[in-house]
Amino acid sequence: MAGQEPFDIFVIGGGINGCGIARDAIGRGYSVGLAEMNDFASGTSSGATKLIHGGLRYLEHYEFRLVRESLMEREVLWAMAPHIIWPMRFVLPFHKGGIRPAWLIRLGLFLYDHIGGRKLLPATKTLDMRRDPAGKPLKPLFTKAFEYSDGWVDDARLVVLNARDAANRGAEILSRSRVISARREGALWAIDIQDGKGGPLRRVTSRMLINAAGPWVDRVLSNAVGKNQVHNVRLVQGSHIVIRQKFNDPRAYFFQNPDGRIIFAIPYERDFTLIGTTDQDFTGDPKDIRITDAETDYLCKAASEYFAEPVRREDIVWSYSGVRPLFDDGASKAQEATRDYVLKVEGEDGAAPLLNVFGGKLTTYRRLAEHALEKIGEAIGSKGSPWTAKSTLPGGDFAPTGYEAQVAELKSRAAFLTDRHARRLVRLYGTLARKIICNAESIEALGRHYGADLYEAEVRYLIEQEWARTAEDILWRRTKLGLNLTKTEASALADDMQELTARCVA
């Protein structure tokens, strides 16, 4: 990097907002660099409830602009990435004397159906839970429900596919590279970067700096940029539990709790059910985030209020937590803090500009990037025009309703794949699944079998194309096969990663 021309923009942070901004900017003709101190989506962006949704509960806090923008994005994102994003129906049970009256729920769902430009997603309907299969896993108290549409996303893959597309278009994308310092030198930023192995510092320069470090955004301002006493974000912990499949239905549940909060119970990775999330203030180091005993008890108790068969601690096979970096709007409760994003530019009188990104959510990341590009254009001059709304992410170049056709096409190419294996590959890689299979004529041709349906060919692809360097990258972010592999199988993969990486990136 030494001696190269200055970047137009340099992004700190490889979560959804940083990668989304980098992709949009490179597509408009800016030169772009990005550094992520760990793996992509290793923080907040893989700790979500994994929904592409309008945010029904945000209506209660009068966040109509955020809800409308989110609703409008659902089908845009679905068309961009139909392999990792797909529609899901949600069942909202209610009963007399519940926390929210039926008329209020109906009003919210009417707005949900009509303010967001819905085209392909089906409208809300009322269910008789005594007859509908959705009522079977629940307590008999719940005789009615509303069923509405939202979407599901593989959050970590959404991040890495934005990074991959940015790199394909010419961006300099660096994983496991920490920004040690960023100092203004006249009209440029001088940025010192160190790789995760503790190597020598490398310096790059950039006309503009983008701070999209998520929960670390204030820390970047304090430690790297050198500003004192900054407090822009409110850190809120959200935790989830995963249990063995609780119900055999493709629909998810929206549960209302007596304390006013809500949780979801969602079909997950075919054999499991995902339950979450919690909302509580967090004051520690985001890298140390873990579900607490109180959160575990809360989720089990809240779900057990609805399910006929209680959810117990011993049912939990995995849990994960994320820290949401919400813009600190002074809300008294964590669940009331705004989920909207705030973009602030610093740098007057010819000083190199800095854009700080606060808050945001998966569903609105593309619009956040567009708004960021407006501010970038104002600061250093506009290039190109908005383009991502009609684009596709890598592997997503097929119709939103074309998943089954893609599965059939892959199975016709590789008849040795089981139906389950083919479906998983298309869900993760879309049309790029054929690159993993390549010219293989048997399952043995895919190389070493690591457990479940993970083979060496897929591992190599993830190392070469998606910056995977550890077994954790592969088992818990690029895929969720950590739920299916034994400890012995996972250890075997971990043992091979260094050698495979050396071979694949040599």
Side-chain angles (χ1 to χ4, degrees), residues 306-323:
Y306 283 82
F307 286 120
E309 180 184 332
V311 175
R312 302 161 300 176
R313 274 178 169 265
E314 51 265 38
D315 298 329
I316 299 172
V317 297
W318 183 49
S319 65
Y320 66 90
S321 300
V323 180

Side-chain angles (χ1 to χ4, degrees), residues 137-416:
L138 304 185
K139 292 178 178 178
L141 167 68
F142 303 102
T143 58
K144 289 188 177 181
F146 294 108
E147 182 182 309
Y148 69 95
S149 292
D150 259 328
W152 170 263
V153 62
D154 187 325
D155 51 3
R157 292 208 58 72
L158 182 65
V159 176
V160 80
L161 292 182
N162 272 272
R164 181 68 265 165
D165 198 49
N168 290 347
R169 296 171 184 273
E172 186 88 38
I173 303 295
L174 305 171
S175 68
R176 292 177 167 82
S177 299
R178 183 187 296 270
V179 172
I180 302 299
S181 70
R183 298 287 182 266
R184 287 184 172 98
E185 293 185 353
L188 294 176
W189 284 95
I191 304 157
D192 289 329
I193 306 165
Q194 187 172 44
D195 68 32
K197 298 177 182 177
L201 295 183
R202 295 179 292 175
R203 173 162 289 192
V204 300
T205 56
S206 181
R207 296 171 61 204
M208 188 167 184
L209 185 66
I210 313 297
N211 179 8
W216 292 271
V217 66
D218 281 344
R219 197 167 298 186
V220 166
L221 286 171
S222 297
N223 297 347
V225 180
K227 298 187 70 173
N228 296 322
Q229 295 182 332
V230 291
H231 180 78
N232 298 286
V233 293
R234 179 175 187 169
L235 300 183
V236 174
Q237 176 167 343
S239 296
H240 302 75
I241 58 175
V242 176
I243 62 175
R244 293 285 174 190
Q245 189 179 66
K246 191 70 174 174
F247 52 89
N248 185 23
D249 195 296
R251 293 170 291 184
Y253 292 99
F254 178 117
F255 294 153
Q256 306 174 84
N257 304 331
D259 61 3
R261 288 149 66 176
I262 62 100
I263 64 168
F264 295 95
I266 303 171
Y268 188 61
E269 297 294 319
R270 293 185 61 132
D271 301 323
F272 304 92
T273 298
L274 171 66
I275 299 174
T277 181
T278 57
D279 270 305
Q280 64 180 39
D281 286 310
F282 180 79
T283 56
D285 189 326
K287 72 178 176 59
D288 298 326
I289 187 75
R290 297 289 185 278
I291 191 170
T292 65
D293 286 341
E295 287 178 303
T296 300
D297 291 341
Y298 177 85
L299 292 173
C300 288
K301 181 180 178 182
S304 297
E305 291 291 323
Y306 283 82
F307 286 120
E309 180 184 332
V311 175
R312 302 161 300 176
R313 274 178 169 265
E314 51 265 38
D315 298 329
I316 299 172
V317 297
W318 183 49
S319 65
Y320 66 90
S321 300
V323 180
R324 305 182 193 99
L326 307 181
F327 184 71
D328 193 351
D329 60 358
S332 59
K333 295 181 180 179
Q335 61 265 31
E336 293 175 358
T338 181
R339 266 56 177 175
D340 212 342
Y341 53 83
V342 176
L343 307 175
K344 290 189 175 183
V345 176
E346 301 177 15
E348 296 80 24
D349 302 324
L354 165 69
L355 172 63
N356 294 304
V357 179
F358 306 114
K361 55 201 284 279
L362 286 170
T363 309
T364 54
Y365 92 89
R366 192 196 66 81
R367 291 289 288 138
L368 181 153
E370 286 188 336
H371 289 141
L373 266 294
E374 291 174 8
K375 293 189 176 294
I376 290 167
E378 292 168 2
I380 62 172
S382 294
K383 289 189 178 183
S385 56
W387 64 278
T388 57
K390 300 295 184 182
S391 68
T392 56
L393 287 170
D397 48 338
F398 61 94
T401 56
Y403 169 73
E404 293 294 340
Q406 288 299 315
V407 172
E409 196 272 343
L410 183 63
K411 289 170 71 175
S412 71
R413 284 172 174 257
F416 56 85

Side-chain angles (χ1 to χ4, degrees), residues 43 45 49 57 83-84 108 113 120 126 141 163 174-175 192 196 203 226 243 328 337 368 394 418 427 469 478:
S45 294
T49 313
R57 68 190 178 96
H83 47 333
I84 61 166
D113 276 349
L120 295 177
T126 303
L141 167 68
L174 305 171
S175 68
D192 289 329
R203 173 162 289 192
I243 62 175
D328 193 351
L368 181 153
T418 65
R427 269 289 172 235
R469 295 294 179 266
R478 305 303 185 277

Side-chain angles (χ1 to χ4, degrees), residues 48-113:
T49 313
K50 311 183 190 311
L51 300 180
I52 295 295
H53 67 139
L56 184 59
R57 68 190 178 96
Y58 305 153
L59 292 172
E60 289 187 315
H61 303 299
Y62 309 109
E63 299 209 50
F64 297 111
R65 190 211 67 78
L66 174 62
V67 173
R68 184 171 186 273
E69 182 173 87
S70 300
L71 289 170
M72 293 176 71
E73 281 297 284
R74 293 178 306 178
E75 295 193 19
V76 173
L77 297 181
W78 180 19
M80 277 177 58
H83 47 333
I84 61 166
I85 296 172
W86 61 92
M88 184 174 281
R89 295 288 278 175
F90 288 77
V91 175
L92 197 168
F94 68 95
H95 63 93
K96 286 185 178 180
I99 185 170
R100 294 171 181 87
W103 68 264
L104 182 62
I105 298 172
R106 284 194 190 97
L107 175 60
L109 289 170
F110 177 83
L111 291 171
Y112 217 66
D113 276 349

